[in-house]
């Protein structure tokens, strides 16, 4: 018997050691607590083992000491384990320090038993035919037992409170511990009360240690997981349906029943209902979207279907589950996002990008009818905003977009290209110019008391089979607008071959300008300027292009193009540079002549005109008054204050400022008021066109007088005849330029002319 129990004890020691090591290796706080508890159980079991096998009183007594003292450590470890196991349940167990002090005191009094024998002594019995020493308890032992049982009781209380506070699904893992603890305690108690010769009490506690190890470290709460998973699945926003291999629905979550409107828990009804609602959705392992019209009203709902196969560990199909999700809101949001990205906020028309791509889409699909592109431009729209305010401006744009919409058919594509421009793409036969002219001849926007007649122009481009860039087509339609001369009576312009060749020409010469400048194809021609005695006192430098392919080009064929695209600054810089070179050469030859150069309005946008000219003069070592600068009134159209500053700064540096083409524009006089100029260049060509010569003469005479009074030198250009020269002389004009003296000529020819004059 004793041998059998000894074997059991040995087995328990080994098991507890293994459990303790495994628990420790988990490296978790609960693992540590279990390792400590299981390790602490080993000494009392060893003590129990010694007592069981020993027939020697001293050895048995030592066994009892190991047993009793070990139990204090077990109590300590049980407390630590309880704290860890029940952690986080809200009770926040804090072990009172006196408990530990009592355990230490108990251990001390047990040790003192060696002196006072107040806790226990041993008595000899005969078991299995050999001496067996059992202990006889005294009050020290009673204290030890009360302390141990009190601790166990307190631990049970903590577990009980924890279980009460736990969600039901978690109670299982606590209850098991409590039950095993009660059983171990009862087993222990049985040996205390029964006093059977052999003490096997530690078997119960050792099992308790193993149970704790199992439930804390090894046990996977399958039922708990099951319950949690089923709860998660039930509460999912997706409707889930599980089908067996015959396609019969065997389970669905609450959403699934809700979706199908099936109230009783009969999943087999769901299969029919799903087919009835959605048809047989063609879904494989993937996603498909099905629209479904609900019974109430005509509300469209969209659902996504996701079907997945369920296989076992051998990859054999065991069933199918279907996840159905209501994606109506997402779909609607997506539609709204797409709409916002493709439609203009104010007018609701397509944005330019979307218009271009939708036109491209039509052009890329086979079609037989011809199409046109219309560029719609509101003239002077800035004035509408400035005078009536932005609200009225917005309203006007909405009126235009409504007018466009009204005239469109399903084949048309139309949108807002930019602030005040719109674009249309439509079949040619759908465009009725007479109706459009009629509509646009009195396009009035009225709101409250404000009334404004909008001036709207349409540029039409007929699409060619070779066209493939929508923006180019709109550019062409836009270009045609420049041909409208009577802008109040003509509202429609067509892109034609003339515009096409103009555009081609502009492109060609723009591409060639750089090389032309480098190769000397652009040259300064000089047109003499004479004084009252007819002597040449200076010249205007005018650009000419001696084109390698097209021959001699007058400025009219390239200057306006470069003025438009800004490349004029290259030409002007070259011309100023050339003028300076000529002046510096003349200076060294002792010629005292000035040269006038033209300054284009665009020059002011792209460079610092004053510093550019000043630097040039300095570099060439020329007297600034020899380089005259000509500006026209268009220079003053924008940022006039700045322009005045630039010109003043040039004057201060000694340059002479000439106002070119005086009288040809609208506000020459106005400009004269604001600006300090030295020379007025009066345009004879403009006056020459007048049918009433007397009137023209009166004007010229008065302008000359005006300049005299203002202390400005007058220069008349376009002098073609001797008579003109004579009359102008009489009128008091100081300087003269025109074909009568000479056309603009190459520098060499000009110098020859000077030689001739000097000889005469
Ligand atoms: P502009 O500065 O007013 O130059 C005077 C224009 O009148 C020149 O035309 C000249 O040839 C022309 N002209 C001179 N005398 C007579 C005449 O008796 N009868 C007639 N019918 N015309 C006469 P051009 O050289 O064709 O230049 C035209 C315009 O081109 C110039 O007008 C000027 O505005 C511009 N331009 C010419 N070269 C340059 C340049 O290098 N830079 C800039 N920015 N513009 C230039
Ligand atoms: Mg000029
Ligand atoms: Mg001029």
């Amino acid at each position: 018997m004793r041998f059998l129990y000894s074997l059991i004890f040995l087995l328990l020691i080994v098991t507890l050691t293994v459990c303790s090591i495994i628990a420790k290796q988990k490296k978790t706080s609960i693992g540590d607590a279990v390792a400590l508890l299981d390790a602490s159980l080993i000494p009392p079991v060893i003590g129990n083992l010694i007592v069981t096998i020993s027939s020697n009183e001293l050895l048995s007594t030592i066994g009892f000491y190991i047993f009793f003292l070990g139990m204090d450590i077990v109590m300590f470890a049980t407390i630590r384990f309880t704290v860890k196991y029940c952690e986080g349940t809200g009770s926040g167990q804090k072990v009172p320090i006196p408990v530990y002090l009592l355990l230490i005191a108990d251990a001390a009094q047990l040790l003192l038993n060696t002196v006072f024998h107040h806790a226990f002594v041993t008595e000899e019995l005969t078991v299995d035919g050999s001496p067996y020493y059992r202990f006889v308890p005294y009050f020290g032992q009673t204290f030890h037992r009360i302390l141990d049982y009190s601790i166990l009781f307190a631990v049970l209380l903590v577990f009980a409170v924890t279980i009460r506070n736990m969600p039901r699904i978690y109670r299982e893992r606590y209850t098991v511990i409590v039950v095993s603890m009660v059983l171990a305690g009862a087993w222990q108690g049985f040996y205390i009360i029964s006093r059977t010769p052999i003490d096997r009490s530690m078997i119960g506690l050792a099992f308790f240690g193993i149970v704790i190890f199992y439930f804390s470290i090894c046990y996977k709460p399958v039922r708990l997981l099951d319950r949690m998973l089923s709860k998660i699945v039930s509460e999912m926003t997706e409707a889930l349906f599980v089908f067996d291999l015959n396609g019969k629905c065997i389970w669905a979550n609450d959403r699934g029943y809700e979706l199908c409107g099936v109230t009783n828990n009969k999943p087999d009804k769901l299969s029919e209902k799903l087919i009835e609602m959605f048809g047989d959705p063609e879904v494989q392992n993937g996603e498909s979207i099905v629209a479904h019209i609900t019974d109430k009203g005509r509300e469209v709902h969209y659902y996504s279907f996701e079907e997945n196969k369920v296989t076992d560990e051998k990859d054999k199909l065991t069933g199918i589950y279907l996840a159905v999700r209501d994606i109506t809101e997402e779909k609607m949001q997506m539609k709204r996002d797409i709409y916002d990205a493709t439609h203009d906020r104010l007018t609701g028309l397509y944005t330019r990008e979307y218009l271009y791509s939708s036109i491209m889409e039509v052009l890329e699909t086979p079609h037989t009818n011809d199409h046109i592109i219309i560029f719609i431009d509101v003239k002077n729209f800035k004035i509408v905003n400035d005078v009536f305010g932005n609200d009225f401006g917005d309203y006007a744009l909405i009126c235009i977009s409504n007018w466009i919409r009204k005239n469109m058919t399903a084949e048309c594509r139309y949108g807002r290209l930019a602030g005040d421009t719109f674009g249309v793409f439509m079949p040619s036969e759908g465009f009725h110019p007479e109706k459009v002219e009629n509509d646009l001849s009195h396009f009035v926007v009225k709101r409250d008391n404000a009334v404004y007649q909008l001036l709207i122009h349409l540029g039409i481009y007929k699409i060619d089979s070779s066209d493939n860039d929508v923006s180019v087509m709109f550019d062409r339609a836009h270009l045609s607008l420049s041909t409208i001369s009577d802008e109040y009576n003509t509202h429609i312009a067509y892109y034609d071959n003339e515009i096409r060749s103009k555009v081609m020409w502009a492109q060609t010469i723009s591409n060639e300008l750089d090389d032309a400048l480098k190769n000397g194809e652009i040259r300064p021609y000089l047109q003499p300027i004479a004084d009252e005695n007819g002597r040449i006192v200076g010249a205007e430098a005018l650009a000419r292009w001696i084109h390698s392919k097209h021959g001699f080009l007058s400025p009219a064929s390239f200057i306006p193009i470069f003025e438009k695209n800004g490349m004029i600054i290259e030409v002007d810089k070259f011309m100023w540079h050339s003028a300076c070179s000529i002046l510096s050469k003349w200076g060294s030859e002792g010629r005292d002549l000035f040269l006038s150069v033209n300054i284009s309005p665009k020059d002011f946008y792209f460079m610092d005109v004053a510093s550019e000219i000043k630097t040039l003069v300095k570099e060439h070592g020329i007297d600034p008054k020899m380089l005259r600068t000509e500006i026209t009134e268009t220079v003053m159209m924008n940022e006039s204050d700045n322009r005045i500053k630039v010109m003043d700064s040039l004057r201060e540096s000694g340059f002479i400022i000439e106002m070119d083409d005086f009288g040809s524009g609208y506000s020459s006089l106005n400009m004269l008021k604001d600006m300090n100029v030295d020379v007025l260049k009066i345009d004879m060509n403009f006056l020459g066109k007048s049918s009433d010569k007397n009137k023209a003469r009166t004007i010229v005479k008065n302008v000359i007088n005006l300049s005299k009074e203002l202390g400005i030198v007058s220069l008349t250009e376009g002098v073609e005849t001797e008579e003109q020269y004579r009359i102008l002389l009489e009128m008091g004009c100081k300087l003269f330029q025109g074909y009568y003296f000479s056309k603009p000529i190459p520098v060499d020819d000009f110098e020859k002319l000077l030689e001739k004059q000097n000889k005469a």
Side-chain angles (χ1 to χ4, degrees):
M1 244 345 212
R2 287 170 73 178
F3 178 71
L4 179 70
Y5 287 124
S6 303
L7 269 182
I8 291 172
F9 283 130
L10 266 175
L11 214 68
L12 288 172
I13 289 165
V14 173
T15 312
L16 285 170
T17 309
V18 172
C19 291
S20 180
I21 292 168
I22 294 172
K24 188 72 195 168
Q25 281 169 349
K26 292 285 167 195
K27 292 203 166 73
T28 57
S29 58
I30 187 74
D32 287 350
V34 171
L36 176 67
L37 179 59
D38 281 3
S40 75
L41 283 164
I42 297 167
V45 180
I46 292 173
N48 217 167
L49 170 68
I50 294 170
V51 172
T52 309
I53 55 169
S54 153
S55 292
N56 174 297
E57 187 176 7
L58 180 63
L59 201 60
S60 296
T61 310
I62 292 171
F64 282 121
Y65 277 110
I66 297 173
F67 186 172
F68 298 143
L69 286 168
M71 277 309 289
D72 281 340
I73 302 171
V74 169
M75 286 305 123
F76 172 76
T78 307
I79 293 168
R80 304 292 324 143
F81 167 76
T82 308
V83 169
K84 279 284 154 236
Y85 202 77
C86 301
E87 203 169 50
T89 54
S91 33
Q93 297 88 0
K94 271 246 176 289
V95 183
I97 300 291
V99 175
Y100 295 130
L101 294 178
L102 279 170
L103 279 174
I104 294 167
D106 184 53
Q109 67 96 10
L110 284 172
L111 279 172
L112 284 173
N113 187 60
T114 48
V115 184
F116 300 114
H117 307 291
H118 64 285
F120 68 93
V121 292
T122 51
E123 64 178 356
E124 190 183 319
L125 300 173
T126 303
V127 178
D128 292 352
S130 56
Y132 174 87
Y133 292 90
R134 132 174 125 173
F135 77 95
V136 180
Y138 294 133
F139 71 89
Q141 177 65 13
T142 312
F143 173 78
H144 171 73
R145 283 175 185 166
I146 290 173
L147 180 62
D148 282 6
Y149 275 91
S150 304
I151 289 172
L152 275 183
F153 185 69
V155 163
L156 279 175
L157 260 181
V158 171
F159 267 90
V161 171
T162 309
I163 289 170
R164 209 197 61 198
N165 294 340
M166 269 296 147
R168 275 177 67 91
I169 52 169
Y170 284 105
R171 288 184 185 164
E172 178 183 272
R173 62 191 285 255
Y174 290 86
T175 314
V176 170
I177 305 274
V178 170
V179 170
S180 61
M181 204 186 294
V182 169
L183 286 177
W187 178 278
Q188 195 95 0
F190 171 74
Y191 283 101
I192 293 168
I193 296 159
S194 70
R195 292 200 50 80
T196 51
I198 300 180
D199 184 346
R200 284 155 287 179
S201 59
M202 275 317 289
I203 295 177
L205 272 177
F207 267 111
F208 168 63
I210 295 163
V211 166
I212 277 176
F213 168 78
Y214 176 74
F215 277 93
S216 309
I217 310 293
C218 309
Y219 174 67
K220 291 273 177 302
V222 180
R223 267 179 50 209
L224 171 67
L225 277 178
D226 274 358
R227 273 188 248 157
M228 275 174 127
L229 283 176
S230 97
K231 197 163 167 55
I232 292 167
V233 168
S234 296
E235 286 172 4
M236 268 166 85
T237 49
E238 288 174 326
L240 294 178
F241 303 89
V242 179
F243 300 90
D244 65 10
L245 289 175
N246 300 321
K248 206 175 99 182
C249 185
I250 49 172
W251 183 88
N253 66 356
D254 294 351
R255 289 274 160 164
Y257 285 104
E258 220 173 86
L259 175 69
C260 296
V262 174
T263 41
N264 55 358
N265 276 12
K266 285 196 173 159
D268 45 331
K269 287 228 160 152
L270 294 170
S271 318
E272 289 164 35
K273 189 72 190 174
L274 277 173
I275 292 173
E276 186 188 306
M277 284 170 75
F278 300 107
D280 198 358
E282 291 235 329
V283 282
Q284 280 86 38
N285 262 358
E287 218 177 74
S288 77
I289 292 169
V290 171
H292 168 67
I293 299 166
T294 58
D295 301 337
K296 308 162 221 151
R298 304 282 305 157
E299 206 183 332
V300 177
H301 272 251
Y302 294 89
Y303 296 93
S304 83
F305 281 69
E306 197 188 331
E307 198 185 58
N308 286 291
K309 289 176 180 153
V310 185
T311 51
D312 63 11
E313 57 280 2
K314 286 183 189 148
D315 224 19
K316 266 182 82 180
L317 188 66
T318 53
I320 283 165
Y321 81 82
L322 179 68
V324 182
R325 199 157 56 89
D326 186 339
I327 51 161
T328 314
E329 191 43 46
E330 287 163 43
K331 275 281 252 197
M332 292 302 165
Q333 186 56 44
M334 211 150 76
K335 277 191 178 171
R336 280 194 290 271
D337 289 347
I338 293 172
Y339 184 88
D340 286 350
T342 53
H343 289 72
D344 172 50
R345 222 168 253 245
L346 177 70
T347 59
L349 300 186
Y350 285 178
T351 56
R352 184 176 53 193
E353 292 72 23
Y354 191 57
L355 173 66
Y356 283 12
S357 69
S358 57
I359 292 172
M360 222 44 231
E361 218 170 87
V362 179
L363 292 177
E364 276 165 3
T365 51
H367 55 278
T368 47
N369 46 353
D370 292 336
H371 289 94
I372 53 166
I373 287 281
I374 310 177
F375 184 96
I376 302 173
D377 182 35
V378 188
K379 290 275 145 191
N380 304 324
F381 189 70
K382 200 171 168 295
I383 295 175
V384 183
N385 275 329
D386 288 351
V387 175
F388 299 99
N390 285 348
D391 278 355
F392 186 85
D394 284 353
Y395 177 68
L397 291 171
I398 292 169
C399 290
I400 299 167
S401 61
N402 288 341
W403 173 73
I404 296 173
R405 233 184 239 117
K406 207 173 68 190
N407 289 290
M408 295 294 117
T409 58
E411 297 100 273
C412 304
R413 301 286 180 276
Y414 48 99
R416 187 176 175 195
L417 299 178
D420 58 356
T421 55
F422 298 84
V424 172
F425 162 87
M426 66 190 304
S428 306
E429 74 263 12
F431 183 67
H432 306 293
E434 314 77 42
K435 184 188 176 296
V436 172
E437 277 291 0
N438 192 40
D439 283 358
L440 295 182
S441 61
H442 52 266
F443 198 101
V444 176
V445 179
K446 271 190 229 162
R447 196 188 208 186
D448 304 327
N449 294 326
V451 180
Y452 188 81
Q453 174 153 5
L454 286 179
L455 183 57
I456 299 171
H457 285 169
L458 266 61
I460 316 278
Y461 172 70
K462 191 166 176 299
I463 297 177
D464 206 73
S465 56
S466 59
D467 288 324
N468 54 13
D469 187 336
V470 180
S471 72
V472 170
M473 300 179 214
F474 273 106
D475 283 348
R476 289 180 180 168
H478 187 188
L479 270 173
S480 69
L481 292 179
S482 61
T483 61
I484 296 180
S485 45
D486 182 3
E487 59 177 20
Y488 288 95
N489 290 315
T490 313
H491 300 92
I492 305 171
Y494 297 86
Y495 181 86
D496 57 15
N497 283 337
E498 198 184 317
I499 299 173
R500 181 183 226 115
S501 47
K502 268 191 194 163
V503 172
M504 300 281 279
W505 173 250
Q507 267 170 6
T508 310
I509 59 162
S510 299
N511 291 339
E512 292 172 350
L513 178 63
D514 264 2
D515 286 343
L517 285 167
K518 274 184 215 137
N519 304 337
E521 287 185 28
I522 310 272
R523 289 175 205 168
Y525 267 45
L526 303 182
Q527 183 174 36
I529 294 168
D531 66 4
E532 289 149 305
N533 305 315
R535 280 188 67 81
I536 299 168
V537 287
E540 177 173 1
L542 294 154
R544 296 289 180 269
W545 188 333
I546 320 297
H547 198 280
S548 54
K549 199 165 130 203
H550 303 285
F552 183 90
L553 300 179
S554 89
S557 59
F558 61 92
I559 295 284
I561 293 165
F562 295 148
E563 279 193 320
K564 211 169 185 180
N565 67 17
M567 290 172 93
I568 189 71
I569 72 158
E570 303 304 329
V571 179
D572 280 351
K573 274 203 272 190
F574 170 80
M575 288 296 289
W576 303 344
H577 195 277
S578 305
C580 287
S581 301
I582 297 166
L583 283 171
S584 119
K585 184 181 155 248
W586 285 352
S588 62
E589 291 166 2
R591 289 192 218 270
D592 185 22
L593 290 139
F594 67 82
L595 275 183
S596 296
V597 289
N598 292 286
I599 301 179
S600 151
K602 280 277 164 74
D603 292 333
F604 291 89
Y605 286 106
F606 298 114
M607 64 178 150
D608 183 346
V609 172
S611 84
E612 188 81 30
I613 292 179
K614 284 179 200 171
T615 315
L616 270 178
V617 166
K618 212 180 264 172
E619 277 172 10
H620 288 85
I622 315 161
D623 182 355
K625 75 171 189 297
M626 292 305 180
L627 185 74
R628 299 188 171 192
T629 50
E630 295 189 10
I631 52 157
T632 58
E633 62 180 29
T634 41
V635 163
M636 299 292 289
M637 296 275 223
N638 292 300
E639 297 184 38
S640 50
D641 288 350
N642 273 340
R643 306 282 186 267
I644 290 173
K645 272 187 204 146
V646 175
M647 299 324 287
D648 279 349
S649 125
L650 282 172
R651 279 189 93 228
E652 275 160 28
S653 304
F655 289 91
I656 286 174
I657 311 294
E658 303 188 334
M659 191 192 274
D660 204 358
D661 302 342
F662 186 81
S664 68
Y666 295 100
S667 56
S668 300
L669 277 174
N670 208 19
M671 187 175 159
L672 204 57
K673 173 173 71 67
D674 297 326
M675 227 183 127
N676 295 314
V677 295
D678 305 288
V679 178
L680 267 197
K681 289 189 86 169
I682 306 153
D683 194 344
M684 269 296 272
N685 289 322
F686 144 74
L687 291 166
K689 278 180 202 144
S690 168
S691 53
D692 189 338
K693 284 205 168 158
N694 282 335
K695 245 188 200 172
R697 274 183 196 177
T698 314
I699 293 171
V700 175
K701 198 172 125 192
N702 281 293
V703 172
I704 291 169
N705 280 338
L706 172 78
S707 62
K708 209 184 287 172
E709 286 201 12
L710 290 171
I712 301 172
V713 174
S714 49
L715 185 160
T716 318
E717 51 180 334
V719 182
E720 292 184 344
T721 62
E722 194 186 351
E723 194 203 355
Q724 282 175 338
Y725 172 52
R726 198 180 41 78
I727 295 169
L728 287 164
L729 256 182
E730 275 168 23
M731 286 176 181
C733 185
K734 300 286 177 210
L735 294 169
F736 309 85
Q737 182 184 348
Y739 293 171
Y740 172 63
F741 301 96
S742 165
K743 284 195 169 185
I745 46 175
V747 182
D748 287 353
D749 293 354
F750 182 84
E751 285 174 351
K752 277 180 203 146
L753 201 67
L754 283 178
E755 296 300 325
K756 232 163 90 190
Q757 175 178 278
N758 288 341
K759 279 181 195 152

